[in-house]
Amino acid sequence: YMGPSLDLIFILNFARRIMGKRKKIAERVTTLMDKPEFIRNIGIVAHIDHGKTTLSDNLLGGAGMISMELAGKQLFMDFDPLEQARGITIDAANVSMVHEIDGKEYLINMIDTPGHVDFGGDVTRAMRAVDGAVVVVDAVEGAMPQTETVLRQALKEGVRPVLFVNKVDRMINELKVEPKDMALRLGKVIDNVNKLIQGMDDAKYRAGWKLDASKGNIAFGSALYNWAISVPQMKKTGIGFEQVVEYCRAGKMKELAEKVPLYIAVNDMVVKFLPSPIEAQKERVKVIWHGNWDSSVGRAMATCDPKGPVAFMINKIKVDPHAGEVATGRLFSGTLHRGMELYVSGVVNTNRIQQTGIVMGAERVEVEEIPAGNIAAVTGLRDAIVGSTVSSEQEMTPFEQIKHVSEPVMTVAVEAKNTRDLPKVVEVLRQIAKEDPTLQVTINEETGEHLLAGMGELHLDVTVTRMQRDRGVELKTSPPIVVYRESVGGKAGPVEGKSPNHHNRFYIEFEPLELGVIEALKDGKISMKMEEVERRKILIEKGMEKDEARNIVGYFGTNVLLNMTKGIQYLRETMELILEGFEEALKNGPICREPAQGIKARLVDVKLHEDAVHRGPAQVIPAVRQAVQAGILMANPVLLEPFQNVFIQVPQDQMGGAMSEIQGRRGVILNMDSQGDMIILKSKMPVAQMFGFSGAIRSATEGRALWSSEFAGFEPLPANLLLETVKQIRTRKGLKPEMPKPSDYLKVV
């Protein structure tokens, strides 16, 4: 034996040096944690492949966490083997680092987010933890559909944006753009992003959120080649666009990166233009928390007080094989330390914190305590799920629920290959539902199979692959199935629902719910916890009649139940059961057991037995359920299918292939734009027709099309396809294949 090879010694020393560096950085981070005015919590957001993770590499290289030689190629934040294999970011990843500007040190807590539409839920959750966002836009492609989606998510959460225009080197070297045209093209990119911000929130746009290169809240550069410039940097270094063009054309990118390193331009912009927790929380907490401002928690959050009660919002849960569940989130007030007993919203008992730490990419570094204004990772909160509010006050009003932009549109059936693994599968699915709220896990009671609903093919594929890899469970999955919704297209009623003992009768009318009200319910603008006057005002604004708006008694999803009766005895105490029956019928609609949406049910008359024993749950729930199911079938029932907006960039000579591919899949072309010799098609397509689209569009355009998609809501299925689709779904679910009739649900006795 000759001892370890020189290569091995070199690798071990290199690893030790990097680990030592990270430890030092962690020490610097902890010294800045209790100075909120020097903290910046930021997210990196963009359309897929515009360069978020490459940009993150540069910032980490600048902070000394990875070698500057590898920055832009290492993709440090994509540490999961699946991310490396597929070349995309799947999970939002956190990291804390230190940046020095004018002799002062600043702590930057950064979250690198995914760009693929299937993982948009991660972006929404990350936006809850941060105060500012660096929006990355490709100089060549400009603002794309996902850019718009992530901007909307940021503004909805009250997160302030700055802009980084990436891949400027492509514009110079590939498109051979002259310096004078470059200013025009970049100006167009900026104008498009500004238009998006103004359209989403005009008040904030006017209040100084407008992006303006001369102000300095925009940087231009190349994340892959590690250089960037901004107007304040130009004044310091004297390097402007003309010099950049010269360096790029001469192939001296390395030299340029030494003179104007990207991390300095971007981090300076982050520190100068994005708010500290002290500044941000005054406004942001109003957007995400609707509790009492004069309570001790309200005051502590508004001032980011480390001595106040703990207010911790969880935006991510991950299972660590050694430490168990790690909950990561934003601490708005108070201080977290080991051994604390805290309340999780909706749970009576307290949970004890076992470890507190900060996240450095794939690693977690333990620290003694974490004060307000930071992003913390803690273990021991076994009752918490993503979106939970954790506090030292039992009575704290929870934070607003995190509202995701799109809904699950695809389902796969999952079962264990070996029967002995069944308990393990149930446990794994429960854990996955806890970690990712955009996944919906249901158990089909009739067939015993587990159904996993997600945002798209990739989302489900990645989830199932991880379940098998990380949890060691062998699974069988069905091909993906599309999720439909049921609704009504006309009016019906009053429909009579009779209880099994014939002593209670309910008369309900049905009609489609106003579109404005459906949107308000989706956006969470209406809830039964609101003041009645406030709720009524919103409903009337959205198109509901005054009389109806006053009588809303409950809603389920985007379906509403109105009580239009007057002075009926015992009705108040029975209302809870009526709502339960209403909910039960809509969870599995009558057409083919898919969820219902957009239905307005009006309770117009009720006959109840005076003896409470004869109007219990076993009588009321089935009676209401039957009336609702039969009523939907009488009111011109419709099946809604999910649609996606599909954006395709294709050279002019390949346009025909792309268009016939869209039209052959029941797609509709909404818009056509040209940029140079490229055509940009905006189209809309049913999800049911999108299986295998990726391969088909490649072969139709000789591999020259770039495409992306986003969720576009549900639309009625064409009448000629209704019966066939209903038959397919019902057969798959083991129901009798014919379209059901109202009499199937109304007991004829």
Side-chain angles (χ1 to χ4, degrees), residues 245-479:
V245 173
E246 283 165 25
Y247 276 104
C248 287
R249 295 224 164 122
K252 294 183 185 168
M253 298 266 211
K254 213 162 186 180
E255 216 174 294
L256 183 60
E258 280 163 20
K259 293 196 164 148
V260 283
L262 181 144
Y263 75 93
I264 291 183
V266 174
N267 279 342
D268 283 8
M269 175 170 80
V270 162
V271 167
K272 195 170 172 197
F273 291 97
L274 296 181
S276 70
I278 291 186
E279 204 184 318
Q281 286 185 199
K282 289 180 204 139
E283 295 305 315
R284 266 207 77 207
V285 177
K286 289 178 191 165
V287 180
I288 58 174
W289 186 71
H290 294 160
N292 175 10
W293 277 98
D294 288 328
S295 63
S296 55
V297 176
R299 285 198 300 272
M301 285 200 287
T303 54
C304 189
D305 182 2
K307 294 188 174 68
V310 169
F312 183 50
M313 166 86 203
I314 292 174
N315 73 317
K316 185 175 181 179
I317 288 181
K318 204 87 183 119
V319 174
D320 181 311
H322 311 296
E325 279 181 22
V326 180
T328 310
R330 167 70 178 266
L331 183 61
F332 287 93
S333 69
T335 300
L336 293 173
H337 53 77
R338 208 178 303 161
M340 265 184 133
E341 294 280 349
L342 296 174
Y343 293 96
V344 176
S345 54
V347 181
V348 180
N349 302 328
T350 57
N351 286 194
R352 176 189 285 261
I353 290 186
Q354 284 157 2
Q355 295 173 332
T356 52
I358 52 170
V359 180
M360 294 287 192
E363 297 151 16
R364 216 164 20 93
V365 180
E366 273 193 62
V367 293
E368 279 304 306
E369 56 175 38
I370 298 178
N374 284 284
I375 294 174
V378 298
T379 58
L381 299 175
R382 60 183 184 281
D383 292 326
I385 58 170
V386 170
S388 289
T389 301
V390 178
S391 178
S392 49
E393 307 256 313
Q394 193 172 3
E395 300 303 314
M396 177 182 171
T397 308
F399 287 100
E400 284 299 290
Q401 265 184 317
I402 297 174
K403 293 274 178 304
H404 291 100
V405 178
S406 47
E407 303 172 39
V409 292
M410 265 180 209
T411 304
V412 284
V414 179
E415 54 181 311
K417 267 188 186 163
N418 304 317
T419 333
R420 64 168 186 273
D421 281 344
L422 194 59
K424 213 170 174 187
V425 171
V426 174
E427 188 46 47
V428 168
L429 285 169
R430 188 175 294 133
Q431 187 61 46
I432 274 198
K434 205 173 179 182
E435 289 176 23
D436 185 352
T438 53
L439 280 169
Q440 284 178 2
V441 180
T442 45
I443 296 175
N444 186 336
E445 301 292 346
E446 284 150 20
T447 60
E449 62 186 359
H450 297 84
L451 298 173
L452 198 60
M455 298 293 175
E457 260 179 296
L458 182 64
H459 189 202
L460 293 171
D461 183 18
V462 165
T463 305
V464 172
T465 310
R466 279 186 173 172
M467 281 165 70
Q468 301 192 92
R469 183 195 71 189
D470 300 345
R471 313 285 160 81
V473 187
E474 286 195 35
L475 298 169
K476 276 195 300 195
T477 57
S478 70

